[in-house]
Amino acid sequence: METLLIPASLLAGGLLAVQAGANAQLSKATGSPFAATTLQLSVGTLALLVLALFTGTLTAVAALPHVPWWHAVGGVASAFYVVSTILLFPRLGAIVSVGLFIAGQMLASFALDVTGLAGGSPRSIDAPLAVGMLAILAGAAIIVKGQSGQQSQPVAGKAGWIVLALLAGAVLPVQGVVNGLLRHDLGAPFVVGAVSFLVATLSMAAALLFSAAVLRTPAPTLQGLPAMPWWGWLGGFAGAIYVTTVFTAIPVIGASAAVGLTVAGQQVASVFVDRHGWFRLPKRDVSALRLAGVVLLLAGVAVIKLL
C-alpha cells in the first residue's frame, strides 16, 4: 500500500491545478469566489456520499455521535485556507502567498512527523529529514522566484498577513491528521471525506453570508452557470480525491512525504497549465529557474522518503 500511496499523493497534488482552473470558471460564472467554493465543496460532498453508498460504508455515519467532536471538524481547515487566499492575494500577491502556503505546509508536516502526531512513531531529526526539508523549502523559494510576470506585492510592514499565510498552509496537513483520526474511528474513508467536505461547505456558506451581510459584497448569481464549460464542475471531484488521498497517506508514509508529494504534484501540473494555457487560463512562460525549483522540491521528497 505504501508503494501505491507515493504516486497517488503526487497525482492528488496535480489535481489541485485542475481544481484551481475549474474554480476560476465557477467564480466567473457566479461572480463570487465564496459562492464558487461553496458549490465546489457541495459537489465534492455529494460525490463522496455516492461513493460511500456504492461501497456499502454509508452506515458508518451512525457512529459519528460517538467520536470526539474535534475529529469531525477537519473540514474547517479547507474553508480557512480558501478565505485566506481571497484575503491574501490582493495584499501579498499570488507569488508570495503561494510560497508562504508551501512553507507553512512543510513546517507543520515536519512538526507532525517529529512529534509523532501524524499517526506513526515520532521521527528523529536525522540527516535525510533535515536535508529533505531544506531542499523542499529551497525548491519552493526558487519556484516563487521563477514565477516571473505574476502578481506580487511588497511585504514590508505586513507581518500579520505573513503569519496568516503560514497558518493557512499549516492547517492543511493538520486537517489530514484530524481526518485520519476520524477514519480510525469510522473505518470508512469515503464517509470521512464526506464529513470533512460537508463541514467545509457549511463553513464556506457561513463565510458567504458574512461577506454579503456585513461586508456588503455583491450577491452571487447563477445566470452564468449554463454558459460555463462542463469541466468547471470538476473542482469538487478533484478536491475530494485530494483530501481522501492525504488523510490516507499521512499515517502510512508520513506527513512530510505526503504533503511534499502533493505540493510537488501541484507544481508539476501547474507548469503544464501555465505553459499551454489549459482551463482557459492565460499562457505563461515557464522559466528554467522555476523548473529547477520543481526538480529540487521532488528531490527533497525523495530524500525524506527513500533515505
Side-chain angles (χ1 to χ4, degrees):
M1 184 176 182
E2 180 176 352
T3 304
L4 291 175
L5 285 172
I6 292 175
S9 298
L10 196 63
L11 176 62
L15 288 175
L16 290 181
V18 177
Q19 183 184 44
N23 205 35
Q25 293 298 315
L26 202 53
S27 295
K28 186 184 298 183
T30 60
S32 167
F34 290 104
T37 306
T38 303
L39 285 172
Q40 178 197 106
L41 291 167
S42 300
V43 170
T45 303
L46 181 60
L48 288 162
L49 284 173
V50 170
L51 284 171
L53 179 64
F54 277 107
T55 55
T57 58
L58 190 58
T59 54
V61 172
L64 268 177
H66 308 292
V67 306
W69 66 269
W70 58 276
H71 287 192
V73 297
V76 174
S78 293
F80 178 73
Y81 175 79
V82 171
V83 171
S84 297
T85 63
I86 294 170
L87 292 173
L88 289 165
F89 275 30
R91 291 168 172 85
L92 298 180
I95 298 175
V96 174
S97 297
V98 170
L100 290 169
F101 292 154
I102 294 174
Q105 283 180 274
M106 294 314 305
L107 291 172
S109 301
F110 178 82
L112 290 168
D113 277 341
V114 169
T115 59
L117 294 175
S121 301
R123 178 169 179 174
S124 60
I125 306 177
D126 52 16
L129 181 59
V131 171
M133 281 296 302
L134 288 174
I136 290 171
L137 292 173
I142 291 172
I143 289 168
V144 168
K145 185 71 174 175
Q147 302 225 51
S148 58
Q150 295 191 33
Q151 180 190 8
S152 184
Q153 300 287 345
V155 297
K158 297 180 179 178
W161 296 113
I162 292 172
V163 171
L164 177 62
L166 290 170
L167 288 174
V171 297
L172 296 180
V174 173
Q175 178 190 38
V177 171
V178 172
N179 284 340
L181 293 172
L182 185 61
R183 184 189 179 182
H184 182 268
D185 296 331
L186 303 181
F190 294 130
V191 172
V192 173
V195 170
S196 181
F197 264 66
L198 178 60
V199 170
T201 302
L202 295 175
S203 300
M204 281 306 306
L208 175 62
L209 291 173
F210 178 83
S211 67
V214 179
L215 303 180
R216 302 296 182 183
T217 56
T221 176
L222 302 180
Q223 295 177 349
L225 291 180
M228 185 182 70
W230 64 269
W231 47 264
W233 294 105
L234 292 181
F237 299 100
I241 294 172
Y242 169 79
V243 168
T244 306
T245 302
V246 167
F247 73 68
T248 302
I250 283 179
V252 179
I253 65 175
S256 297
V259 173
L261 283 164
T262 58
V263 169
Q266 182 182 15
Q267 291 301 321
V268 170
S270 296
V271 166
F272 288 95
V273 171
D274 285 351
R275 179 67 181 82
H276 300 287
W278 291 344
F279 308 117
R280 297 184 181 178
L281 296 172
K283 289 185 179 181
R284 296 189 178 97
D285 292 331
V286 179
S287 67
L289 188 62
R290 182 177 172 190
L291 289 175
V294 172
V295 171
L296 186 57
L297 200 153
L298 285 167
V301 176
V303 169
I304 290 174
K305 189 60 201 154
L306 299 179
L307 298 183

